[in-house]
Amino acid sequence: MSGARGLVRLYVAGPSPRTEAAWHTVQTACKVASTPRFDVELVDVSERPDEARRAGIMLTPALVRINRGEERRWLGDFTDVEAVARALVSDDV
Amino acid sequence: MSEAEGLGGADGVRSVQRILLVEDEASDALVLSHALKGLGFAPSGFLQARTLAEALTLLETGEVDLGIVDLGLPDSRGTDTVRRIRAAAPDLPLIVVSAAADTEAAVGSLQRGADDYLVKGAYDARSLDRAIRYATDRRRLQTAERRRAVELERAERQLRAVVEAHSDGMLIVDSRGVVRFSNQGARHLLGFDERELVGHTFGSPLLDSGDAVELEGPVRGDTRSKVEMRSTAIDWEGTPAHLIVLRDVTVHRRLEERLRQSQKMEALGQLTGGIAHDFNNVLAVILNGTEALAEMVPAELVEAHAELREIETSARRAAGMVRRLLGFSRRGYLRFETLDLRKFTQDALAITRRMLTDVVGIRSSVEEGVGNVRADPAALQQIFLNVVANARDAMPEGGELTIDSGAAELDESHRARYPWVSPGQYERVSLSDTGVGMTAETLDRIFEPFFTTKGPQSGTGLGMAMVYGLMKQHRGLVHVHSKPGGGTRVDLFFPSSAASKRDVHRAEPQRGARRGTILVIEDEDALRRGIQRVLSNAGYEVLLAQDGREGIDAWRKHRAGIDLVVSDLVMPKLGGKEVLAEIRRAGDPCPFLLITGYGVESLADLRGRGVSMLTKPWSQQTLLNAVRAALRGEDVAPEATA
């Protein structure tokens, strides 16, 4: 059912130990952030550059949360699970 | 108290010195002058104008502190007079004194720029004074405000110019991550150029720590830079926001990586050099021992001899590994000649064809103009062999090896990673294969000793380490470019030599070399006995000393009869170099053979001074060859034992 689950996308620039760590952090944070309300997706901007540009991504890694039609975006190194979890539940209605 | 003082006239007199009276009626002008005198204004400061033209001229030519103007002038009627005077003197306190008592005239005058309006015959000293003070205060405030506004605008322009000119990108993003302000640096860094960033979503910083975070981008562009982001929480026009500063650190990171690599290789070189030296000493004892045993064990003990040969083979193999390690650690002894790199490359190609299977095609385009280089032929051959071996192993199903060359110029930028490289002209030889290629992780470690991606039976992982070390000894460098599935290219850069090619003189071995007396100085007992045995068996008379101090004593005692001094380099009390120095200081040109576990570039200064060198581990034959050559007065290159 549309709108029942939000979407979290992590945009990265190619595989590397750093992007793997960020992906692991985001996945963990999605589990930690109260309920499993998010579908999680990894987007490699080097493989899907047009999609990243259309989404307006400027720098990576970038975390995008789309919930109830609203989008929020964060930039950072995504090594702190708590910080990512806090971001995912911020401004929640 | 005068009327003027009671009305604040003392202040009025101080600030208003020159008063412009614009009045065509003499009587009215007189009344006004008298009123002003009564308020304490000095008549010497009154400027009379009967027309607007006269008034404007006076305004142009001099300082006027107050204007009192009649609306009815011969050359100007009504409030237009006020407008024109105001245009000519924006800061002038201006009072209209007019016969017209109607509100319309008063309002119109005020709207045109007058500060107050008095009706002729209806004003008294008090109202005149009040009007003057009101007009002067009002103008002073307005002038101050305008000046502040001008200064504020100038400060804003300057600040904006600084922010726009700064090479760092600066953004203000609101609490939703939307850009509210950007400078040129940010637009350029994010691939926006002249297009405005404001209104686009950049994103919010995940953490507010103020620490730098490294990102990559821009996603909009074709290149990838490393971008350092710092953020600070600020208040922007009354709402929470973030100041984001972005800096392109791509070049910085590249230099850091080069430095790290350079330091790593240096540390590895130090480590392997030390280990190799110690191993050489041990191997020398093993090899000498097996040679001695082989002579002692009766020939009919076939199995015993077979075991001894096994031991010798293993020891020689170990010596070969140590030699390659020394090559990496920059401790190997090289003998430089001027070589025609083109010819050398062609000769090496002929040799390498035998290494490559038939399914590997070879293309060569070595340029005619490739010049001369100073290089050790054996080392150069080893470099080629190692690189070609790797290329062969990368193409198990066949492929193509291409060799090309050319001139190259290296600049200062290479020094960050290769500190021994001087800017200048270089000769380049490149070997490219169409093999499996390497990942970035493998490429990062390719020059590390013992690093290998092949199985344990397929190599020691010393090949490219040796190439690195040998190129470094040649003051050149090696670059490797590779991509998984995309083959590998190895570029070798040798400093160009301006010297003309000359052949290395190799003396023909003379038969029946004169036997003589040799002083042997060696602190390792087993090695000392080994050398004595070999030389004695060859017919030389041998004097022994077990350290440098004993050696000097022995030399002094038997000086006249000593034909050659053979000395270890590193010894307690006094080393080989110090013994040599003392002998030379005494004026004795006696030939000197230095035996070293390193072979060392620091000995390069001794060459050509009757000094030869031999590296451990040596064999019977290499020792005898070196001794004979030294006795003949030749500058001997140490020969490998493997």
Side-chain angles (χ1 to χ4, degrees):
Chain A
M1 186 155 68
S2 70
R5 290 176 70 82
L7 177 63
V8 166
R9 277 201 192 108
L10 178 67
Y11 291 85
V12 298
S16 73
R18 197 169 160 229
T19 56
E20 281 169 27
W23 178 226
H24 178 75
T25 301
V26 167
Q27 287 177 302
T28 308
C30 284
K31 289 177 195 160
V32 162
S34 54
T35 60
R37 298 179 291 126
F38 295 107
D39 288 326
V40 191
E41 191 186 340
L42 181 71
V43 179
D44 184 344
V45 304
S46 56
E47 287 179 5
R48 292 147 74 176
D50 292 335
E51 188 181 323
R53 281 173 199 151
R54 274 197 300 274
I57 304 299
M58 297 183 195
L59 298 173
T60 60
L63 183 72
V64 174
R65 182 196 75 188
I66 302 169
N67 196 25
R68 295 191 180 99
E70 278 208 16
E71 184 185 301
R72 282 294 309 274
R73 190 184 306 173
W74 293 271
L75 296 162
D77 63 5
F78 301 103
T79 53
D80 187 335
V81 171
E82 270 187 44
V84 175
R86 271 200 304 275
L88 290 176
V89 301
S90 68
D91 298 338
D92 242 351
V93 175
Chain B
M1 184 175 72
S2 74
E3 197 176 333
E5 284 170 7
L7 295 171
D11 280 349
V13 166
R14 251 204 312 281
S15 67
V16 178
Q17 307 263 336
R18 292 160 63 82
I19 303 175
L20 174 64
L21 304 174
V22 189
E23 175 60 70
D24 60 332
E25 291 290 337
S27 56
D28 289 340
L30 198 59
V31 166
L32 188 52
S33 299
H34 184 73
L36 289 170
K37 260 174 67 177
L39 289 175
F41 295 104
S44 58
F46 298 167
L47 304 169
Q48 306 265 11
R50 297 181 69 237
T51 64
L52 176 61
E54 277 178 30
L56 291 175
T57 303
L58 285 168
L59 283 172
E60 249 179 63
T61 54
E63 277 284 323
V64 177
D65 303 313
L66 172 69
I68 301 178
V69 177
D70 178 23
L71 287 183
L73 296 171
D75 57 349
S76 176
R77 308 300 293 180
T79 57
D80 199 52
T81 307
V82 177
R83 183 185 64 78
R84 292 187 63 184
I85 290 181
R86 178 51 76 216
D91 294 331
L92 180 70
L94 191 61
I95 299 169
V96 168
V97 176
S98 173
D102 54 304
T103 315
E104 196 181 321
V107 169
S109 298
L110 294 173
Q111 283 176 340
R112 289 284 192 276
D115 293 306
D116 212 337
Y117 187 97
L118 296 170
V119 177
K120 284 181 185 176
Y123 66 85
D124 58 10
R126 187 183 294 274
S127 54
L128 178 61
D129 179 64
R130 194 170 50 241
I132 290 170
R133 286 203 285 149
Y134 175 72
T136 49
D137 286 347
R138 187 173 175 220
R139 281 297 134 187
R140 196 164 35 242
L141 279 170
Q142 283 189 345
T143 303
E145 262 181 43
R146 194 173 53 251
R147 281 196 191 129
R148 263 200 301 276
V150 165
E151 274 178 28
L152 197 64
E153 203 185 299
R154 189 165 58 94
E156 198 189 302
R157 265 201 319 273
Q158 287 173 341
L159 193 62
R160 183 172 282 273
V162 165
V163 168
E164 280 298 318
H166 204 292
S167 56
D168 284 349
M170 292 182 194
L171 295 172
I172 303 288
V173 299
D174 64 19
S175 56
R176 310 290 297 174
V178 178
V179 177
R180 293 296 168 216
F181 169 83
S182 74
N183 74 341
Q184 172 62 20
R187 293 192 287 278
H188 177 70
L189 221 148
L190 297 173
F192 274 74
D193 292 325
E194 293 312 311
R195 286 162 289 182
E196 192 47 72
L197 254 181
V198 170
H200 287 261
T201 300
F202 174 78
S204 305
L206 186 67
L207 289 172
D208 248 345
S209 64
D211 292 337
V213 170
E214 196 163 294
L215 306 172
E216 264 191 62
V219 172
R220 279 175 92 105
D222 294 324
T223 56
R224 283 287 172 268
S225 301
K226 296 210 182 292
V227 177
E228 199 174 76
M229 176 180 84
R230 288 179 192 271
S231 65
T232 311
I234 62 168
D235 181 282
W236 181 258
E237 295 178 349
T239 59
H242 280 97
L243 167 65
I244 308 271
V245 178
L246 303 170
R247 178 173 292 181
D248 190 334
V249 294
T250 310
V251 171
H252 189 78
R253 291 287 176 262
R254 202 177 297 142
L255 287 174
E256 276 179 353
E257 178 58 27
R258 284 184 190 169
L259 183 64
R260 188 189 68 81
Q261 273 288 81
S262 173
Q263 287 172 335
K264 181 181 84 171
M265 300 308 279
E266 192 59 40
L268 280 172
Q270 297 279 351
L271 181 64
T272 53
I275 293 171
H277 169 258
D278 292 341
F279 262 95
N280 265 342
N281 277 348
V282 169
L283 287 171
V285 173
I286 294 173
L287 278 171
N288 295 333
T290 54
E291 280 182 349
L293 277 173
E295 286 174 5
M296 292 175 208
V297 170
E300 51 271 26
L301 295 178
V302 172
E303 281 187 22
H305 277 279
E307 290 295 331
L308 284 172
R309 277 195 297 276
E310 277 290 331
I311 295 170
E312 188 186 341
T313 303
S314 295
R316 288 188 192 285
R317 194 182 305 133
M321 284 176 61
V322 169
R323 206 170 48 257
R324 286 192 286 279
L325 267 177
L326 282 174
F328 166 74
S329 74
R330 201 166 60 105
R331 307 288 184 105
Y333 179 82
L334 298 182
R335 190 154 184 218
F336 288 90
E337 304 171 15
T338 301
L339 295 180
D340 177 341
L341 192 60
R342 178 167 175 263
K343 180 167 186 323
F344 189 91
T345 306
Q346 287 170 337
D347 292 344
L349 203 55
I351 296 169
T352 56
R353 276 180 206 279
R354 290 197 285 277
M355 285 176 62
L356 300 166
T357 61
D358 290 336
V359 294
V360 175
I362 302 179
R363 289 200 304 173
S364 167
S365 59
V366 179
E367 283 181 12
E368 282 282 345
V370 166
N372 294 335
V373 298
R374 290 282 296 168
D376 178 300
L380 214 53
Q381 194 166 85
Q382 188 67 61
I383 291 168
F384 267 76
L385 285 172
N386 288 355
V387 174
V388 171
N390 278 355
R392 174 201 60 198
D393 294 341
M395 298 183 286
E397 312 296 327
E400 195 165 80
L401 176 71
T402 305
I403 302 179
D404 69 275
S405 68
E409 186 154 347
L410 300 186
D411 59 24
E412 277 288 335
S413 64
H414 291 83
R415 275 188 185 269
R417 187 166 177 173
Y418 309 101
W420 61 88
V421 163
S422 304
Q425 286 298 120
Y426 284 74
E427 309 297 337
R428 173 189 59 80
V429 175
S430 299
L431 295 93
S432 309
D433 65 60
T434 56
V436 296
M438 288 179 271
T439 63
E441 286 74 28
T442 301
L443 205 51
D444 190 54
R445 302 184 62 191
I446 191 178
F447 296 120
E448 274 181 30
F450 304 112
F451 174 76
T452 179
T453 56
K454 304 167 195 171
Q457 307 306 321
S458 306
T460 58
L462 287 172
M464 288 310 285
M466 203 171 174
V467 169
Y468 182 93
L470 289 173
M471 288 305 298
K472 192 174 180 185
Q473 285 186 268
H474 285 80
R475 293 284 185 264
L477 58 96
V478 48
H479 273 160
V480 180
H481 310 267
S482 188
K483 265 173 46 175
T488 297
R489 189 177 92 242
V490 177
D491 295 325
L492 304 163
F493 292 90
F494 296 88
S496 295
S497 166
S500 58
K501 183 179 173 180
R502 60 174 192 274
D503 289 330
V504 173
H505 172 66
R506 290 197 184 281
E508 287 298 318
Q510 292 175 6
R511 295 210 180 100
R514 186 177 75 81
R515 297 286 179 252
T517 301
I518 302 176
L519 168 61
V520 173
I521 313 173
E522 167 61 68
D523 59 315
E524 281 260 4
D525 291 340
L527 291 178
R528 191 173 60 251
R529 282 197 299 274
I531 296 172
Q532 181 190 28
R533 178 179 52 75
V534 169
L535 296 181
S536 297
N537 288 348
Y540 295 100
E541 191 176 328
V542 180
L543 304 172
L544 294 177
Q546 58 185 8
D547 58 61
R549 192 47 51 207
E550 254 192 43
I552 292 290
D553 292 341
W555 168 77
R556 283 200 183 112
K557 205 168 161 187
H558 304 279
R559 180 176 169 164
I562 293 175
D563 298 297
L564 171 69
V565 177
V566 174
S567 172
D568 190 18
L569 178 66
V570 178
M571 291 181 292
K573 293 188 189 170
L574 209 64
K577 272 180 92 170
E578 288 76 26
V579 171
L580 169 68
E582 201 151 328
I583 288 175
R584 289 291 183 263
R585 260 199 300 275
D588 188 348
C590 174
F592 207 96
L593 177 61
L594 266 172
I595 302 183
T596 170
Y598 293 107
V600 175
E601 60 209 353
S602 62
L603 297 181
D605 58 319
L606 300 176
R607 292 181 61 203
R609 291 164 50 185
V611 180
S612 313
M613 284 153 216
L614 179 66
T615 52
K616 295 175 188 175
W618 38 263
S619 68
Q620 243 177 239
Q621 198 53 53
T622 57
L623 175 61
L624 286 173
N625 288 345
V627 163
R628 284 177 194 135
L631 283 169
R632 286 195 299 268
E634 284 177 15
D635 187 3
V636 174
E639 294 176 34
T641 54

